[in-house]
């Protein structure tokens, strides 16, 4: 049994009016359609959001976790409230026998809060999945396997474009590259940029992940959203763009110029980004039922938050 706490955009809003059930963008819809979960309710202080939830999902809603718990004890709680409320809602969630928590990113407002949350988890045995959703995308999982097999050689350089702030959206790529390429070892702020929505910095960065230097560049969300990257390896290249096939290219002998090599032999990986959050719940179900490894946990989310805090610290220093 599962409930969603926070019925805003990622809680239920993004796909609220979408009738195509192959497009799954929110926690509530993912829980509705996944066969391993039974969505039994929603929680939000806003009565309008609660009424919307009840109309669409035909399940009861509550103004607080306490009110919900007076009626039922869900085994899975999805926390989709604003980041500033993560720690308090998480602690309240953990005060009962919750089996698993799905937590929106970033995991907390600061490392101190996140480490406190981790201590609570380690003493409880509860499973925590953090919704850095690209980790669950089968196309990106296949790409990771290609990188690990060495099919593209050593990845040594890349570029990525993000919009909507380094915390809100850029952190997705920070998390993804730590997963694909290795731990972050250095950060350079090349251009301070601006603040998105007057609070979230948008710097241009050079970050080393493993042995690769990744140039993470900020676009302007009011013009159009961007979520794309290119990675360059010694045996080939990768081109990724949200919602499109992932293109990989491999080094080959030039058919005309002897002694030269160029890029060819294109291979596409089908990429269905419109169901990434469903794949996150699928990973959780397989973990709970079959012991499959959790692809994104509170520990990996804390690593990403540490990197984001380093970026913000450097950004603040550059703007003193």
């Amino acid at each position: 049994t599962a409930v969603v706490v926070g019925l805003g955009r990622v809680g239920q809003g993004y796909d609220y009016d979408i009738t195509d059930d192959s497009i799954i963008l929110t926690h509530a819809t993912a829980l509705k359609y996944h066969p391993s979960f039974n969505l039994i309710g929603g929680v939000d202080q806003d009565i309008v959001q609660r009424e919307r939830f009840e109309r669409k999902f035909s399940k009861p809603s509550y103004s607080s976790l306490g009110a919900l718990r007076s009626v039922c004890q869900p085994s899975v709680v999805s926390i989709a409230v604003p980041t500033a409320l993560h720690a308090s809602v998480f602690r309240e969630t953990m005060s009962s026998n919750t089996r698993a928590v799905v937590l929106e990113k970033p995991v907390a407002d600061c490392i101190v809060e996140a480490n406190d949350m981790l201590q609570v988890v380690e003493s409880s045995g509860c499973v925590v999945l953090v919704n850095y959703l690209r980790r669950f995308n089968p196309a990106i999982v296949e790409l990771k396997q290609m990188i690990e097999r060495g099919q593209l050689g050593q990845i040594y350089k890349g570029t990525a474009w993000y919009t909507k702030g380094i915390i809100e959206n850029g952190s997705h790529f920070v998390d993804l590259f730590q997963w694909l390429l290795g731990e972050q070892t250095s950060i350079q702020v090349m251009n301070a940029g601006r603040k998105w929505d007057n609070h979230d910095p948008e710097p241009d960065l050079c970050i080393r992940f493993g042995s690769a230097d990744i140039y993470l560049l900020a676009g302007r969300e009011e013009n159009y959203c961007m979520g794309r990257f290119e990675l360059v390896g010694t045996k080939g290249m990768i081109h990724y763009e949200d919602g499109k096939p992932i293109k990989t290219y491999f080094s080959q002998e030039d058919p005309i110029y002897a002694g030269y090599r160029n890029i060819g032999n294109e291979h596409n990986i089908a990429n269905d980004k419109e169901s990434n959050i469903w794949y996150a719940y699928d990973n959780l179900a397989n973990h709970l039922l079959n012991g499959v490894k959790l692809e994104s946990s509170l520990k990996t989310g804390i690593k990403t938050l540490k990197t984001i805090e380093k970026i913000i610290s450097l950004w603040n220093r550059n703007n003193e």
Side-chain angles (χ1 to χ4, degrees), residues 31-256:
L31 289 166
K32 173 185 177 180
Y33 285 114
H34 199 287
S36 293
F37 299 98
N38 176 21
L39 177 65
I40 61 171
V43 177
D44 202 293
Q45 293 180 343
D46 187 338
I47 189 171
V48 173
Q49 296 287 26
R50 296 202 306 272
E51 289 173 349
R52 279 164 52 84
F53 176 83
E54 291 180 2
R55 279 197 303 271
K56 179 168 182 176
F57 298 99
S58 301
K59 303 291 183 180
S61 66
Y62 308 85
S63 60
S64 68
L65 264 172
L68 177 141
R69 285 223 175 95
S70 67
V71 177
C72 60
Q73 295 290 329
S75 53
V76 177
V77 177
S78 299
I79 299 176
V81 297
T83 304
L85 300 176
H86 279 190
S88 60
V89 173
F90 184 84
R91 282 192 293 271
E92 187 177 0
T93 299
M94 297 301 294
S95 65
S96 65
N97 295 323
T98 305
R99 188 178 181 193
V101 170
V102 177
L103 181 64
E104 267 304 318
K105 53 75 196 170
V107 295
D109 250 357
C110 65
I111 286 296
V112 173
E113 284 186 347
N115 284 333
D116 287 344
M117 292 160 67
L118 184 60
Q119 284 187 346
V120 173
V121 168
E122 289 177 339
S123 63
S124 72
C126 179
V127 172
V128 180
L129 178 146
V130 177
N131 189 34
Y132 278 113
L133 46 76
R134 288 181 180 86
R135 286 188 181 224
F136 307 101
N137 183 329
I140 299 181
V141 171
E142 182 177 338
L143 178 64
K144 178 177 171 64
Q145 292 167 350
M146 290 178 67
I147 292 172
E148 290 174 344
R149 288 194 297 263
Q151 289 176 251
L152 295 148
Q154 178 190 349
I155 305 297
Y156 63 88
K157 194 169 289 188
T159 58
W161 287 91
Y162 73 98
T163 53
K164 216 172 177 181
I166 190 66
I167 301 170
E168 178 75 14
N169 275 0
S171 64
H172 274 289
F173 281 133
V174 170
D175 182 82
L176 180 64
F177 292 136
Q178 288 187 154
W179 185 60
L180 286 177
L181 304 174
E183 298 295 321
Q184 169 272 129
T185 56
S186 68
I187 302 170
Q188 178 186 353
V189 177
M190 301 186 298
N191 176 30
R194 62 177 191 172
K195 279 189 175 182
W196 175 76
D197 206 25
N198 294 318
H199 78 278
D200 195 342
E202 291 184 329
D204 294 334
L205 305 160
C206 178
I207 308 178
R208 175 162 282 241
F209 297 98
S211 59
D213 291 320
I214 304 298
Y215 295 86
L216 191 56
L217 308 174
R220 296 192 171 182
E221 184 260 347
E222 68 270 21
N223 299 136
Y224 43 84
C225 292
M226 300 177 73
R228 60 191 301 176
F229 65 80
E230 287 188 329
L231 299 177
V232 180
T234 54
K235 294 182 181 178
M237 294 179 63
I238 299 159
H239 177 85
Y240 169 89
E241 189 168 355
D242 283 339
K244 296 182 179 179
I246 300 175
K247 297 181 179 180
T248 57
Y249 306 88
F250 298 94
S251 172
Q252 63 181 15
E253 293 286 345
D254 191 289
I256 298 175

